[in-house]
Amino acid sequence: MPGATPGKWIDAWRTRMPDNPLEWHPLEVAAQREALVSGEVDAALVRLPIDKTDLHVIPLYDEVPVVATSAESHLTAADALTAADLTGEVLIVPADDVLGLHTEMFPGADRPVFAAPATTEEAIATVAAGVGFVIVPMSLARLHHRKDVAYRPLESGPTSTVALAWPVDRTTALIDTFVGIVRGRTANSSRT
């Protein structure tokens, strides 16, 4: 999924399982469940919520929400922001929003007079032009980093939980090994 950084788990897998290479495929959040149930992928890093029917799902961590805005915005003067700080500012919610945002969550924020950008990347390009702000998990702000955009943590904002998921009926020894790696089990652990 966009923003995921599984590098440490990939490195551990390569060390422990050199004869079983991993293939990584990018998945859009909207397609994550279908990729799992169709067999396109054996397992996936996903953003919750996801329909857990017939899936094993292990929450891994919550991502900090950030406010991304023009680097020239007065909002960048603070080290962290609250919902009250966003009063009178234009909230842009991209069509691929992963936080489940809606304008009612920020009653003091203004709605844009234009259609929602299709992607987070487009929303960040829009705020770079000095139009409003977008709230995204920190990993997506980093993924779509631009010199003309700054971001600040949003206190008490909606978080995005990252999880590992795989189909219940396709649990294998290799999946169990990867789950062990993700859960932090060492190569010397009595469990895989």
Side-chain angles (χ1 to χ4, degrees):
M1 61 167 201
T5 53
K8 67 181 179 181
W9 301 321
I10 293 171
D11 292 344
W13 179 271
R14 286 180 180 153
T15 299
R16 291 186 209 172
M17 307 296 289
D19 295 332
N20 294 289
L22 286 177
E23 290 183 31
W24 289 93
H25 304 276
L27 294 176
E28 294 302 319
V29 174
Q32 61 190 11
R33 179 170 168 72
E34 178 58 28
L36 286 162
V37 298
S38 70
E40 178 184 336
V41 296
D42 297 318
L45 292 176
V46 299
R47 288 194 190 275
L48 300 183
I50 187 171
D51 176 359
K52 296 179 182 180
T53 305
D54 299 324
L55 294 178
H56 288 295
V57 179
I58 301 171
L60 301 173
Y61 57 90
D62 290 332
E63 288 194 289
V64 173
V66 298
V67 174
T69 190
S70 166
E72 302 298 320
S73 171
H74 67 93
L75 294 174
T76 63
D79 291 333
L81 298 168
T82 66
D85 296 324
L86 304 175
T87 298
E89 302 292 328
V90 176
L91 170 60
I92 298 170
V93 180
D96 68 351
D97 169 53
V98 298
L99 294 174
L101 295 175
H102 47 83
T103 53
E104 292 76 24
M105 296 172 79
F106 300 92
D110 293 335
R111 296 178 182 183
V113 294
F114 51 86
T119 66
T120 298
E121 184 175 20
E122 290 173 15
I124 289 177
T126 301
V127 303
V131 179
F133 68 94
V134 63
I135 300 171
V136 295
M138 187 178 294
S139 68
L140 291 181
R142 288 178 176 159
L143 176 66
H144 300 299
H145 172 75
R146 297 171 51 116
K147 291 180 182 181
D148 50 0
V149 172
Y151 58 88
R152 299 293 185 267
L154 177 62
E155 295 176 358
S156 301
T159 59
S160 176
T161 300
V162 175
L164 176 64
W166 70 98
V168 169
D169 64 350
R170 290 195 301 248
T171 300
T172 65
L174 292 174
I175 295 286
D176 283 340
T177 299
F178 190 71
V179 169
I181 288 170
V182 169
R183 287 189 163 173
R185 295 188 195 120
T186 65
N188 298 326
S189 173
S190 61
R191 293 183 69 184
T192 56

